[in-house]
Amino acid sequence: MTCNSPLERDTLLAYRLGELDADSEARVEEHYLGCASCSRRLEEFTALAGAVRAVTRMSGVSFVVNDRFVRQLAQNGLRVREYSVPLNGSVDCTVAPGDDFVIARLEAPLDEVERVDMVYLGSDGKPETRQEDVPFVAESGGVLFSTRIDMVRALPRTTLRVRLLAVDESGERILGEYRFDHTPYGSDRPR
Ligand SMILES: [Zn+2]
């Protein structure tokens, strides 16, 4: 059974995240209760919304994710913009109007690494905030992280830097540094 006026994926996700106002929420409920197709889609979004909530809770602005989470987003029709940043390298980045998530893959040698901390550096190069013990999969050869897309959209042309540290009982060492040269969507910096 198909649906003639399927609920928008953004609406479904917002519904499951509890972000809709009462009127919209009532409209969504009325629709999916009478629609097998949309109620099945809603079930899929329930699993996804749980994952989204879990990672956004980890910290306000940026959060570290895994490959499985990124695949899940794409499978649910969300638009994921992904950048690979080479070890000690940089990337030109932006966010397009239709993007739902922006993910950066920071390439790093993670063999034998026990714990990874991620440090956000200020424009003066000094460490500003530190996220301890971020999740990573050593075989993937990198750490995936995402910054809330509304925050990225609001950024002016700017440069962001992060540093990955390997930490163990003997101390810490720098794994790599990464630079994001961010341009607001549609502005004219040569790429
Ligand atoms: Zn429907």
Side-chain angles (χ1 to χ4, degrees):
M1 187 164 65
T2 55
C3 173
N4 294 326
S5 53
L7 293 164
E8 299 267 335
R9 64 186 173 82
D10 289 351
T11 307
L12 282 174
L13 188 60
Y15 173 76
R16 263 307 173 229
L17 289 169
E19 288 169 353
L20 290 181
D21 59 63
D23 283 355
S24 313
E25 197 170 286
R27 263 199 310 278
V28 169
E29 275 167 6
E30 196 180 296
H31 180 106
Y32 84 75
L33 287 174
C35 174
S37 162
C38 286
S39 73
R40 195 174 52 246
R41 287 171 60 224
L42 185 64
E43 275 170 34
E44 292 165 13
F45 271 88
T46 301
L48 178 69
V52 171
R53 245 197 323 261
V55 289
T56 51
R57 249 202 318 260
M58 283 165 57
S59 88
V61 175
S62 295
F63 45 94
V64 176
V65 298
N66 59 36
D67 284 297
R68 188 171 155 271
F69 176 71
V70 176
R71 274 202 311 277
Q72 231 181 353
L73 293 175
Q75 278 164 6
N76 281 276
L78 295 169
R79 296 246 302 261
V80 180
R81 176 178 293 270
E82 192 171 334
Y83 290 104
S84 262
V85 194
L87 185 64
N88 298 317
S90 69
V91 69
D92 291 329
C93 56
T94 191
V95 175
D99 293 341
D100 295 301
F101 279 86
V102 59
I103 308 274
R105 182 184 298 273
L106 310 178
E107 293 175 9
L110 296 170
D111 288 342
E112 322 265 307
V113 170
E114 292 171 18
R115 181 184 122 183
V116 175
D117 286 6
M118 192 153 97
V119 176
Y120 304 87
L121 304 175
S123 49
D124 55 1
K126 291 210 181 87
E128 277 190 346
T129 52
R130 180 164 182 145
Q131 207 170 341
E132 296 186 344
D133 201 10
V134 303
F136 67 94
V137 180
E139 303 81 66
S140 74
V143 171
L144 284 175
F145 92 105
S146 180
T147 297
R148 276 178 45 197
I149 199 150
D150 50 334
M151 306 293 291
V152 182
R153 274 212 179 88
L155 285 176
R157 181 170 300 189
T158 189
T159 296
L160 306 168
R161 287 186 177 80
V162 299
R163 178 185 290 162
L164 293 180
L165 299 166
V167 183
D168 60 29
E169 59 274 16
S170 66
E172 62 183 42
R173 64 188 168 88
I174 294 177
L175 282 168
E177 285 193 355
Y178 309 86
R179 198 180 79 224
F180 297 88
D181 294 318
H182 176 81
T183 309
Y185 186 76
S187 73
D188 56 359
R189 175 145 95 188
R191 305 189 57 90

